[in-house]
Structures are given as structure tokens and as C-alpha cells.
């Protein structure tokens, strides 16, 4: 292990991750150079650079290095790492792309203003006196003024021993221009040798003009890849109406709101911070979070979230989360990190990008030499054209933009639809999915259970008070339903309490142990169940009710039927997944009879019931062992092990924080129909990435040999450098445009 690797390992325990805008990157080779520079710095654990987003995601140890040190290292490498960007760094990048698009538009207009008359003279007035001098005069401003950024960029890279797209453009146009200038000033050098002194001023100027057009279109397209994030950021109100202790209202900046402040949301206003409604009643549009168009009724005790749109009512709520802690801020953070992540296929692209420009320059030199050797008459002219054209047609931009633009657009569209995808790995895994395993409670069902009937062996108040006391200590949704059904019963004192995941709970009251849970729990302890209670339990199970038993240390005291209706969209979601070729399983801790009844209603044939949390994870592992690529969909703490085991983990947004932390995707609305939607979007995104990469690779594989003159011996065709420059510009624009299609693809 090297000293630098040791530093990385040691620093990882106390590492922080930050995102910084990166400026002046021209192509994939630039992104690779910035990434390599950052990774070589002491204290840096990891670094990824996104060309399309113009951002670097850096994990580093604050005790060893600092943002300013990282910025200095990147500056030394010839680029700019912005460490003092505003909090809204996506808007900063968006504005940067807009500014760059404006600069390239001006350069394009200027270049075309000289190039058009230059072409007119060369094509339609070949016999005018001093033509070559006129062409020289017109071409010079194009290269030295409007194309100056290419030469500056190439020089900057040369000083660091690297080459990028600027290098290709600068070398090709510079060689063509200088050769043409020599032939204009000293034509006799070639005439004396029986060679026509051709000039290529129009080619050098045309390359600058066409590449400028391509760069302008590329920057405009890049600006649109972050449209979803910018839209989400625009949902955050700048001011908030605070309710003061004296009952008056005061409009204050959003940054001044603290947890515990009372806030007023007037009709038609956006909710400014996350909180809980104290008074008032109104319908709130939460589509920006959940993707669901129907407004949600909010009243006292209901949560409200930043950026959601209040309807016609007025709400007073207490601020619970502000600033970066709000759900909207967390969503934006997740999407930003996801857009900056790299798909596994990007590893190949990065390797190619790192050597692309040097390889292309080598091919260009080889083409030049081969033409000189075997070119015959006009060998030098053909050699020069081939050299210039190879440099011009090669496009590292298309390779660098293929993956990140598709990921940025795909992640953004998912977020707009209420689907949070944490990283690009999840996208690729979702593309290969064969099996979806869904939890029952809260996933297939509403997750708001209610007790519909209780059968007691003895109607004793003391038992009811014990049951109420036990369930009040549990956080399980079924416990809440039981407590609600015992409304008015005074809980007694509980000496000891224990949660038994997947089975139920136990408690000690007055030196006697009591149990509440499934039938397996009672069987484990040899507890006797009366025939009457068992008969009631079987009848309820066949009706798809969840059955909960209550027992003392020796006998069953009661059995409860708990209804948790199937979500209206669950059957539709299951049907959609089957239509997509996915195998669907239901996995639950509930008893087999109830599980089968619920599964039948949902249209699921494969059921695993009475599973403990560890059993759920083992079942996922078993499916994986059979060669299946498995997604797990759940919402509770008891699902976290299975979620962690699955190839793709999907948490329902209303579920536990643990489940959401573990999951690679989160469905904000909790609607199961979003699962096939997420899988379909993942498939489209990966397909788009593959289309982009195919085009980028095929373009270069076909274009470079043609530019070198491989077709000349067959049909006498030698590619014009101007056409090559237009093709190069088109290749990168087409990749970004194809990625943008994801915003509308059905």
C-alpha cells in the first residue's frame, strides 16, 4: 500500500462529502484530469467529476485537507474548482452554462461573419487578384479572436503535459492556417517542385465556426439537464409569514425561521418549512413531492412539507424542520448526489477518455506519414488534409456526455414523479430486474389498520388495561390500532416490556408475563388456545384480516381481527409488473391464511408468510442464489434487513426512516404503481445511456478512419475538414439531445 493509499484509508472514518462546481472543462479528458488530480491529493478518499453537471463530488478528511487546498490543486491542473459558490450551486451551474452559451453564440456570430464571405470568395471568385491574401485577411480574425479560447485551452493543457478537445481544434486549425500562410507568402517554394501551393484558410475558419455552433448548442442543452433540480429549488419560498405571540403576523426571510416558530400559510401560498398543522383546514397540493395530482386534506395534527402548495384554506402550523433539514432540501440533496454518481458502464468510458486525445493525435500523425509515403502525386496536400481532418472529427465530448447527461435527466424526471433514486448503480440494477418482492402491511395495504372485532375468553377490565398498557409501548402500526380500539381503558403499570420483532411483544404485570402477537409466539411458549378463539381466528384469517393474540403465561385471553384494506392501486401495480416480465412475490410476517387471502386480492401467486426479519433477508438471498435479480419493496424497520440484501431496495416514503436510509429508491407517495414506473424509467435511462455510448463509439470508430482517407483508394473520397468539424459538433449535441428525450419518453 502506498503512502497516499494509507492516507485515504485512515481519513475515510472522519470524511465529509462536498460538491463543488468545476469550470473550464472542455471534454471528457478534462473531467478525467480533474478527477485524477483530486484523487491524488492527501486526505481525499474519493472523487467523481461530472462533465455534464460541471461538478465534482469529493469525499475528504477535513483534518488533512481543505476546499481551498483542493481548489489550488485543480487550478494548478488548469481548471477552476469553485469553493465559495452560493448554496444554490445548481443555479450557479445553470447560470454558468447560460453564460457559456452566450459567449459561444457571440463567437459563432463573429466567426460566421468572416467565414461566409471567405467561402464566397474561395468558391465563386477564384480568379480575383491576390485571392490568397484576401482569404488570409478574413481567416485571421476567426482564429485569433473568435477561436482564441481553443488556443488558450490547448496551451493550458500543454503546460501540464496533457491534451484535450481544445488541443485537437487548436492543432488542426493552427497547422492548416500556418501551412496556408506559408503558401501565400512563399508560393514559389512549391511551384519550383511542381506542386500547386494550395491554401486552406476556409477550412481553418470553418472548423472554428462549426465547432462554435456545436459548443453553443451543447451548453444550451446542458442547461436543460438540471431543469428538474432547478424547478425543485424554485419551490422554496424566500419569505415566510410568522405568527407572533401577540397574534399579529410578520413577514420575515426564510432563514430567520427556527424550529418551534408558528407559521401561517395563506390561501394559494407555498408551505415555507416542514411542520405540523396546529389549526385551520385546507387541501394542499403535494404533487411536487409525491407525483400524485390529487390534493391532500390537511387539518390539526397533519404534517406539511416545504414547497407544497396550499389551497383555498388558511393553515397555522408549527415549524419542525427548517433549512437543510426539510424534506425538500433532502430530496434536492439526494438527486444532486445521484446525478453526480457514475454508472458501472462509465468505468470503461473513463478509461477510454483518459487516453482518447493522445491516441487520436497519434492516428493523425500516422495518417500524415502514410500519405507522404504512399500518396503519390499531391501526397503532401492529402497528408495535411488527412492530419487536420482526423484531429477535427474526433469527438471526446460525445463520450464524456453520454452517461452523465442521461443520468441527470433520468434522475430529474424520477424526482419530478415522486421517485428518489440514490445512485446510478440502482439504475443499472433495475434494468436487469427479474423479480420484485413486496411487503404486505403498508406496501400492498393502506398501512392504517383498525380493529374490527375482539373476542374475549373473559370480559375482565383488568386484562383490557394490561393489553392497553402493553400496546401503548409498541411502535408497530397494529399496536396503534389496538390502543385506538381500547379508547377509554386506563392502562395499568408495566414492570417490564420487550419487543419481539416478527412475533409480537411481551410484558410483566404484577409478576405475571403477558404476550401479544401472532399465533407462532403463543405456540413457542406452549400457551393454550380455546376452541372458540381458534374458530374466530380462522374465520377472520380467511376474510384477509390480520389476527393478533393476547395471552397470559398459561392461556390465551383474547384474539383480535385487524383490517388493513388493500390499496386501490395495488392490484393494478402487480399487473403492470407482471406485464413487464417481472416475477412478483409477497413476503410478510403475517399468518399463512391471511397472507394468501391478501395475495389473492392483489393478484400475487407467490407468497411467503410468517417470516421473521432475518428470514426475509434469507429469502431474498435464496432468490439471488437462483440467479434472480431481486428488488425488495417495504416500509418498516422489519424490512430493513431484506432491503439491504436486495439488488434494488425500494422504500415507501411514509415508512420508517431506517427503511428509507437503507433503500436505494424511495417512493414518496407510497403508491405501489410508482414501482413499475421507477423500473420502466430505469430501463429507459439505461437504454438511453447505451444508445449514447453506441453513437459516440461508432461515430469515432467510423469517422476517424474515413477522415484518415481509408475510402480514397476505393472511390477517391477524402473528407473535407469543414464537414468533419460539423460532424464533430453534431455528435456531442446529438448525445445531449437524445438524453433530453428522457424528459418526455413514454
Amino acid at each position: 500500500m502506498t503512502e497516499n493509499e494509507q492516507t485515504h484509508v485512515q481519513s475515510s472514518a472522519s470524511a465529509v462529502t462536498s460538491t463543488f462546481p468545476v469550470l473550464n472543462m472542455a471534454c471528457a479528458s478534462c473531467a478525467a484530469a480533474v478527477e485524477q488530480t483530486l484523487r491524488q491529493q492527501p486526505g481525499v478518499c474519493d472523487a467523481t467529476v461530472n462533465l455534464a453537471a460541471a461538478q465534482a463530488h469529493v469525499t475528504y478528511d477535513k483534518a488533512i485537507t481543505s476546499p481551498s487546498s483542493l481548489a489550488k490543486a485543480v487550478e494548478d491542473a488548469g481548471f477552476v474548482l469553485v469553493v465559495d459558490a452560493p448554496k444554490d450551486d445548481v443555479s450557479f451551474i445553470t447560470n454558468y452554462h447560460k453564460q457559456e452559451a452566450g459567449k459561444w453564440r457571440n463567437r459563432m456570430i463573429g466567426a460566421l461573419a468572416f467565414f461566409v464571405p471567405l467561402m464566397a470568395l474561395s468558391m465563386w471568385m477564384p480568379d480575383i487578384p491576390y485571392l490568397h491574401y484576401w482569404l488570409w485577411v478574413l481567416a485571421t480574425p476567426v482564429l485569433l479572436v473568435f477561436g482564441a479560447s481553443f488556443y488558450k485551452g490547448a496551451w493550458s493543457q500543454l503546460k501540464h503535459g496533457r491534451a484535450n478537445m481544445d488541443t485537437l481544434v487548436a492543432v488542426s486549425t493552427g497547422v492548416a492556417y500556418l501551412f496556408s500562410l506559408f503558401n501565400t507568402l512563399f508560393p514559389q517554394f512549391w511551384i519550383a517542385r511542381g506542386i500547386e501551393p494550395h491554401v486552406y484558410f476556409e477550412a481553418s475558419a470553418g472548423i472554428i465556426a462549426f465547432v462554435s455552433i456545436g459548443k453553443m448548442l451543447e451548453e444550451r442543452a446542458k442547461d436543460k439537464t438540471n431543469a428538474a433540480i432547478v424547478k425543485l429549488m424554485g419551490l422554496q419560498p424566500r419569505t415566510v409569514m410568522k405568527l407572533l405571540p401577540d397574534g399579529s403576523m410578520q413577514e420575515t426571510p426564510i432563514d430567520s425561521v427556527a424550529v418551534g416558530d408558528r407559521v401561517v400559510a395563506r390561501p394559494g401560498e407555498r408551505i415555507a418549512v416542514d411542520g405540523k398543522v396546529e389549526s385551520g383546514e385546507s387541501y394542499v397540493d403535494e404533487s411536487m413531492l409525491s407525483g400524485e395530482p390529487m390534493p391532500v386534506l390537511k387539518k390539526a395534527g397533519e404534517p406539511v412539507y416545504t414547497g407544497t402548495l396550499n389551497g383555498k384554506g388558511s393553515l397555522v402550523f408549527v415549524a419542525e424542520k427548517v433549512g437543510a433539514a426539510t424534506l425538500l432540501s433532502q430530496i434536492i440533496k439526494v438527486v444532486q448526489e445521484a446525478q453526480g454518481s457514475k454508472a458501472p458502464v462509465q468505468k470503461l468510458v473513463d478509461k477510454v477518455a483518459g487516453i482518447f486525445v493522445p491516441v487520436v493525435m497519434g492516428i493523425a500523425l500516422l495518417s500524415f506519414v502514410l500519405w507522404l509515403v504512399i500518396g503519390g502525386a499531391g501526397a503532401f496536400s492529402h497528408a495535411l488534409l488527412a492530419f487536420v481532418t482526423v484531429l477535427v472529427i474526433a469527438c471526446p465530448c460525445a463520450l464524456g456526455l453520454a452517461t452523465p447527461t442521461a443520468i441527470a435527466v433520468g434522475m430529474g424526471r424520477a424526482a419530478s414523479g415522486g421517485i428518489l433514486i440514490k445512485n446510478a448503480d440502482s439504475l443499472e440494477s433495475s434494468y436487469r430486474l427479474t423479480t420484485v418482492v413486496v411487503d404486505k402491511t403498508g406496501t400492498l395495504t393502506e398501512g392504517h389498520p383498525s380493529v374490527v372485532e375482539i373476542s374475549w375468553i373473559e370480559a375482565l377490565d383488568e386484562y383490557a388495561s394490561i393489553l392497553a398498557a402493553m400496546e401503548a409501548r409498541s411502535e408497530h402500526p397494529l399496536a396503534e390500532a389496538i390502543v385506538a380500539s381500547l379508547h377509554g381503558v386506563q392502562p395499568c403499570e408495566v414492570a417490564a416490556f420487550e419487543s419481539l420483532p416478527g412475533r409480537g411483544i411481551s410484558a410483566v404485570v404484577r409478576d405475571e408475563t403477558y404476550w401479544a402477537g401472532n399465533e407462532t409466539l403463543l405456540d413457542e411458549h406452549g400457551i393454550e388456545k380455546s376452541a372458540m378463539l381458534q374458530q374466530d381466528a380462522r374465520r377472520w384469517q380467511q376474510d384477509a384480516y390480520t389476527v393478533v393474540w393476547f395471552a397470559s403465561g398459561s392461556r390465551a385471553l383474547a384474539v383480535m381481527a385487524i383490517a388493513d384494506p388493500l390499496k386501490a392501486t395495488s392490484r393494478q401495480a402487480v399487473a403492470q409488473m407482471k406485464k413487464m416480465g417481472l416475477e412478483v412475490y409477497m413476503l410478510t410476517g403475517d399468518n399463512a391464511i391471511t397472507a394468501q387471502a391478501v395475495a389473492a386480492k392483489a393478484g400475487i401467486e407467490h407468497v411467503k408468510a410468517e417470516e421473521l426479519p432475518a428470514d426475509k433477508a434469507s429469502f431474498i438471498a435464496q432468490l439471488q442464489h437462483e440467479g434472480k435479480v431481486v428488488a425488495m419493496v417495504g416500509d418498516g424497520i422489519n424490512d430493513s434487513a431484506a432491503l439491504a440484501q436486495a439488488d434494488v431496495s425500494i422504500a415507501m416514503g411514509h415508512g420508517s426512516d431506517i427503511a428509507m436510509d437503507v433503500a436505494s429508491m424511495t417512493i414518496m407517495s407510497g403508491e405501489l404503481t410508482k414501482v413499475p414506473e421507477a423500473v420502466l424509467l430505469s430501463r429507459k435511462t439505461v437504454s438511453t445511456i447505451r444508445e449514447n455510448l453506441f453513437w459516440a463509439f461508432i461515430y469515432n470508430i467510423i469517422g476517424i478512419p474515413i477522415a484518415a482517407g481509408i475510402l480514397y483508394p476505393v472511390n477517391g473520397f477524402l473528407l473535407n475538414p469543414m464537414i468533419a468539424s460539423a460532424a464533430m459538433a453534431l455528435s456531442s449535441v446529438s448525445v445531449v439531445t437524445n438524453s433530453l428525450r428522457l424528459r418526455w419518453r413514454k
Side-chain angles (χ1 to χ4, degrees):
M1 186 180 288
T2 66
E3 183 180 346
N4 198 50
E5 287 173 334
Q6 289 175 340
T7 303
H8 288 186
V9 173
Q10 293 168 358
S11 65
S12 61
S14 57
V16 296
T17 300
S18 299
T19 300
F20 305 104
V22 184
L23 310 182
N24 296 346
M25 294 190 296
C27 64
S29 299
C30 300
V34 175
E35 191 169 288
Q36 184 181 16
T37 299
L38 288 168
R39 288 183 172 181
Q40 289 173 346
Q41 302 310 304
V44 173
C45 308
D46 192 26
T48 59
V49 177
N50 188 316
L51 174 64
Q55 289 179 325
H57 298 272
V58 190
T59 303
Y60 63 97
D61 192 330
K62 292 191 295 185
I64 299 176
T65 189
S66 65
S68 58
S69 299
L70 299 177
K72 179 65 169 59
V74 172
E75 184 182 356
D76 292 340
F79 306 94
V80 178
L81 187 78
V82 183
V83 298
D84 56 352
K87 294 180 182 178
D88 189 356
D89 59 346
V90 172
S91 292
F92 176 86
I93 293 298
T94 299
N95 291 332
Y96 169 71
H97 286 314
K98 288 180 179 177
Q99 291 171 5
E100 286 297 296
K103 291 178 182 178
W104 284 112
R105 181 196 62 216
N106 294 337
R107 293 165 185 167
M108 174 198 72
I109 293 172
L112 289 174
F114 287 88
F115 172 68
V116 171
L118 190 157
M119 280 296 297
L121 287 175
S122 82
M123 292 177 65
W124 297 312
M125 302 179 192
D127 299 323
I128 66 170
Y130 305 107
L131 174 64
H132 290 183
Y133 287 91
W134 286 112
L135 299 179
W136 174 28
V137 169
L138 289 169
T140 300
V142 178
L143 271 72
L144 300 185
V145 178
F146 306 112
S149 62
F150 295 113
Y151 299 100
K152 291 177 181 176
W155 175 246
S156 174
Q157 293 303 297
L158 180 63
K159 289 191 294 184
H160 297 93
R162 292 193 298 268
N164 64 358
M165 191 201 78
D166 289 341
T167 308
L168 299 180
V169 175
V171 172
S172 59
T173 56
V175 168
Y177 177 84
L178 292 174
F179 178 73
S180 301
L181 180 59
F182 180 87
N183 289 356
T184 299
L185 299 177
F186 308 104
Q188 291 302 321
F189 178 85
W190 298 108
I191 294 173
R193 291 163 174 78
I195 300 173
E196 181 70 23
H198 295 291
V199 297
Y200 302 100
F201 288 121
E202 73 281 5
S204 59
I207 291 168
I208 297 293
F210 285 122
V211 173
S212 297
I213 294 172
K215 294 297 287 183
M216 178 194 70
L217 295 175
E218 183 184 314
E219 292 296 335
R220 285 183 174 179
K222 284 179 182 177
D223 172 29
K224 296 176 182 175
T225 59
N226 284 320
I229 288 289
V230 173
K231 183 180 178 181
L232 286 173
M233 286 183 164
L235 298 175
Q236 172 70 67
R238 302 299 179 188
T239 61
V240 62
M241 193 64 69
K242 287 174 63 174
L243 187 63
L244 302 180
D246 62 3
S248 63
M249 292 188 295
Q250 182 182 35
E251 188 173 10
T252 61
I254 190 68
D255 294 339
S256 69
V257 180
V259 174
D261 285 347
R262 297 167 75 207
V263 179
V264 178
R266 293 173 295 187
E269 290 185 338
R270 291 202 177 274
I271 307 296
V273 293
D274 292 3
K276 186 169 289 184
V277 177
E278 184 181 81
S279 63
E281 194 171 294
S282 181
Y283 281 92
V284 175
D285 181 358
E286 295 185 338
S287 58
M288 45 73 62
L289 291 177
S290 65
E292 299 298 319
M294 293 299 294
V296 180
L297 178 62
K298 300 292 182 179
K299 51 189 178 181
E302 296 283 338
V304 290
Y305 302 103
T306 306
T308 56
L309 185 62
N310 186 30
K312 297 181 179 180
S314 184
L315 296 173
V316 177
F317 61 95
V318 179
E320 293 184 336
K321 293 181 180 179
V322 299
T326 65
L327 181 59
L328 178 62
S329 295
Q330 293 300 310
I331 290 172
I332 292 170
K333 181 182 178 183
V334 168
V335 177
Q336 284 180 293
E337 291 177 352
Q339 289 181 335
S341 65
K342 291 188 177 182
V345 70
Q346 185 69 20
K347 295 176 182 177
L348 171 63
V349 178
D350 290 345
K351 289 180 180 178
V352 174
I355 61 171
F356 185 88
V357 175
V359 168
V360 168
M361 294 188 72
I363 294 172
L365 285 170
L366 179 63
S367 302
F368 182 83
V369 172
L370 287 175
W371 270 105
L372 286 181
V373 175
I374 63 174
F380 189 87
S381 178
H382 289 163
L384 183 68
L385 278 176
F387 175 79
V388 170
T389 308
V390 167
L391 292 179
V392 169
I393 203 168
C395 187
C397 293
L399 282 173
L401 294 169
T403 299
T405 54
I407 288 174
V409 177
M411 299 290 192
R413 177 174 169 180
S416 300
I419 304 166
L420 294 187
I421 304 175
K422 284 189 178 180
N423 52 56
D425 282 343
S426 303
L427 282 175
E428 188 133 338
S429 297
S430 298
Y431 182 86
R432 298 182 290 108
L433 275 182
T434 62
T435 306
V436 178
V437 179
V438 297
D439 176 49
K440 179 178 74 70
T441 305
T443 303
L444 282 170
T445 65
E446 292 286 355
H448 303 295
S450 60
V451 177
V452 295
E453 194 171 349
I454 301 180
S455 183
W456 291 91
I457 194 168
E458 294 181 35
L460 298 177
D461 291 342
E462 65 171 308
Y463 289 148
S465 67
I466 294 170
L467 178 61
M470 291 174 61
E471 297 293 356
R473 294 188 174 221
S474 175
E475 296 181 352
H476 198 283
L478 297 183
E480 295 180 14
I482 295 169
V483 171
S485 73
L486 297 173
H487 180 69
V489 176
Q490 186 66 36
C492 64
E493 292 291 326
V494 174
F497 175 85
E498 184 181 5
S499 178
L500 306 168
R503 291 172 294 169
I505 56 177
S506 71
V508 177
V509 179
R510 293 187 288 276
D511 298 327
E512 186 167 2
T513 302
Y514 291 85
W515 315 90
N518 56 29
E519 194 168 3
T520 302
L521 177 64
L522 271 64
D523 292 341
E524 285 178 359
H525 296 279
I527 295 172
E528 180 186 345
K529 302 182 292 288
S530 73
M532 182 192 74
L533 294 184
Q534 290 191 69
Q535 184 180 353
D536 289 340
R538 298 293 177 266
R539 176 168 52 85
W540 293 335
Q541 288 167 349
Q542 290 168 358
D543 291 336
Y545 293 142
T546 296
V547 170
V548 176
W549 291 83
F550 174 51
S552 66
S554 58
R555 60 173 182 159
L557 301 172
V559 64
M560 291 157 277
I562 301 179
D564 187 10
L566 201 70
K567 292 177 181 175
T569 56
S570 290
R571 188 173 182 85
Q572 175 191 347
V574 171
Q576 287 175 336
M577 286 186 277
K578 287 181 177 180
K579 190 176 180 180
M580 294 167 63
L582 298 171
E583 218 178 4
V584 184
Y585 287 78
M586 190 182 84
L587 192 58
T588 180
D590 211 340
N591 70 84
I593 299 174
T594 302
Q596 288 288 354
V598 173
K601 288 183 178 180
I604 299 174
E605 292 85 18
H606 308 291
V607 181
K608 288 287 287 185
E610 301 178 16
E611 297 286 287
L612 299 175
D615 297 329
K616 292 183 178 182
S618 298
F619 178 69
I620 300 292
Q622 179 187 328
L623 293 175
Q624 292 169 325
H625 184 70
E626 294 171 3
K628 297 178 175 26
V629 181
V630 184
M632 173 68 195
V633 188
D635 74 332
I637 294 174
N638 62 331
D639 299 321
S640 57
L643 289 167
Q645 177 65 43
D647 299 288
V648 178
S649 48
I650 305 173
M652 294 301 182
H654 60 263
S656 73
D657 291 340
I658 295 175
M660 293 173 67
D661 288 341
V662 171
S664 53
M665 294 187 189
T666 299
I667 307 298
M668 300 304 299
S669 67
E671 289 295 326
L672 197 61
T673 49
K674 292 289 182 178
V675 173
E677 186 179 323
V679 174
L680 185 60
L681 181 58
S682 297
R683 290 178 177 181
K684 290 176 181 176
T685 304
V686 174
S687 294
T688 300
I689 290 172
R690 294 184 176 184
E691 290 167 6
N692 288 347
L693 289 175
F694 175 81
W695 166 247
F697 277 110
I698 289 297
Y699 165 81
N700 285 291
I701 289 171
I702 295 175
I704 291 174
I706 292 175
I710 196 171
L711 296 179
Y712 190 81
V714 179
N715 56 14
F717 178 77
L718 196 60
L719 188 64
N720 188 296
M722 287 186 292
I723 296 175
S725 65
M728 187 265 273
L730 180 63
S731 66
S732 57
V733 173
S734 64
V735 163
V736 180
T737 303
N738 190 46
S739 294
L740 289 173
R741 287 174 60 236
L742 272 171
R743 295 164 67 183
W744 305 284
R745 283 179 69 178
K746 300 295 185 182

